[in-house]
Amino acid sequence: MTERTERIERAKEHFAKILEEQLIRVESMKESQDWIDYDRLTPIIIGVIGGDGIGPYIAKEAKRVLEFLLENEVATGRVVIKDIEGLTIENRAKAMKAIPDDVLQEIRGCHILLKGPLHTPKKGDSWPNIESGNVAMRRELDLFANVRPVRVPEQGIDWIFFRENTEGAYVLGSKGINVTDDLAIDFTAVTTQGSERIIRMAFEYARRNDIHKLTVITKANVIKTTDGKFLNIASQIARDYPEIEWDDWFIDIMTAKLIDPKRRTQFRVMVMPNLYGDILTDEAAEFQGGVGTAGSANIGKRYAMFEAIHGTAPRMVEDGRGQYADPSSMLRATVMLLNHIGFHEKGKRLEKTLDICSQYEKKFVITGREDGVTGAKFADYIMETIQDESS
Ligand code: IPM
Ligand code: MG
């Protein structure tokens, strides 16, 4: 065998393994599981994961606020809130796994997770180039829907993004292959089941909330097979929702239209494959005050995980400024968590308080430095305001 055919054979074997795994995944998606019912669940176990960099600082503050809001439920045993230690880049590098086995087992013992940011190694990093912990968790717990709302009421912006969270370029993102020193190939995968469930969720959300506009975002003109499939499935599902006007946009022009003040307010519910959702939601969050102000829900039928959408800000910790990190994004994630498990009134109270404290009253402001308040002080301010508002 020439070296070239040998390389090709090796790549084919690698590809065959990927196909095998993905077909097994399709089969497991077909065995449709029921949605967990939190109303009938006692106790609801909430795991808090600190993560890396500023993660533990902001997770700690979010946990305090959560404990404050759920004080009675914790006292009666309806809710259990626990810390999950060990999901750090040090431990992950030691185990050479995106999520070490013992930590994954602990995570699986919870129903709901509140997670700080995790360091995602990249090529050339000082850490081994292991898979992203976020991506692994979304896959392991089958958290197929990444739901990210962005609201700027005074500008008429009221968006909610439904980003597919378990397929696309991500599912095989660390399974690419260097066929030769000169040729690198990555893979992307889209399935009927994976597309249907996220697209249907977006349409259902629109229907439930009386929103009559839904936008599907792909690059189906170029990425014809996978994006083409996603768009095709969307057009079929749309027939079940005749009251919702839907349209489709390509990701490039969509990123442009989000900055067009005349057009952007027309978008409401958006659904898209994984990578486009990653990019578009960072852009969208910028209108609201940056990724630090946005929360993100990762929802599956059995588990749900709520997280900050920003990174770990390692420089802040290196400079000794960890305690000045802004817990707002984690608190926005906490709002989504409370709503998800049925504590709507508490969720609303926290959301309203966050708006008051960070947009209107601004008695204590976080700057990330000593000229602002610490995250702990800000969390106190939130809890005091909640108390004042309800007395
Ligand atoms: C996000 C993040 C993650 C992603 C990274 C940290 C892997 O950017 O939640 O949007 O790309 O999904
Ligand atoms: Mg992102």
Side-chain angles (χ1 to χ4, degrees), residues 134 138 146 148 163 170 274-275 277-282 291 309-310:
N134 290 23
R138 292 165 184 167
N146 190 183
R148 299 182 164 185
R163 163 187 177 191
Y170 274 64
N274 210 333
L275 181 58
D278 179 45
I279 297 165
L280 205 60
T281 54
D282 269 16
V291 288
I309 93 166
H310 55 74

Side-chain angles (χ1 to χ4, degrees), residues 254-269:
M254 190 68 200
T255 54
K257 286 302 157 196
L258 278 200
I259 53 173
D260 176 344
K262 286 192 295 294
R263 293 307 286 273
R264 68 178 172 222
T265 53
Q266 292 163 14
F267 300 114
R268 295 298 312 282
V269 178

Side-chain angles (χ1 to χ4, degrees), residues 146-151 158-162 205 281 284-285 288 293-297 309 332 336 351:
N146 190 183
V147 186
R148 299 182 164 185
V150 169
R151 284 185 313 123
D158 189 1
W159 297 327
I160 183 154
F161 296 86
F162 287 81
Y205 178 89
T281 54
Q288 185 182 266
T293 61
S296 156
I309 93 166
R332 295 275 171 197
M336 300 176 95
E351 184 171 40

Side-chain angles (χ1 to χ4, degrees), residues 167-174 186-189 273-275:
E167 326 203 310
Y170 274 64
V171 65
L172 301 169
S174 43
D186 263 314
F187 305 96
T188 185
N274 210 333
L275 181 58

Side-chain angles (χ1 to χ4, degrees), residues 358-387:
S358 53
Q359 290 177 15
Y360 304 112
E361 197 183 81
K362 297 187 184 172
K363 214 172 356 172
F364 299 101
V365 177
I366 294 211
T367 61
R369 299 178 178 277
E370 271 168 49
D371 57 355
V373 297
T374 60
K377 179 77 196 163
F378 187 75
D380 287 341
Y381 173 37
I382 295 284
M383 290 186 278
E384 281 155 21
T385 308
I386 292 176
Q387 201 123 49

Side-chain angles (χ1 to χ4, degrees), residues 32-74:
S32 127
Q33 208 189 346
D34 285 336
W35 285 89
I36 193 166
D37 181 357
Y38 301 104
D39 291 342
R40 295 164 62 178
L41 194 67
T42 292
I44 300 174
I45 305 174
I46 305 174
V48 181
I49 300 171
D52 299 307
I54 58 169
Y57 294 90
I58 58 177
K60 183 170 161 222
E61 300 313 324
K63 183 175 174 227
R64 281 175 58 220
V65 174
L66 192 60
E67 282 170 338
F68 169 79
L69 283 163
L70 293 174
E71 194 181 351
N72 290 337
E73 289 72 13
V74 170

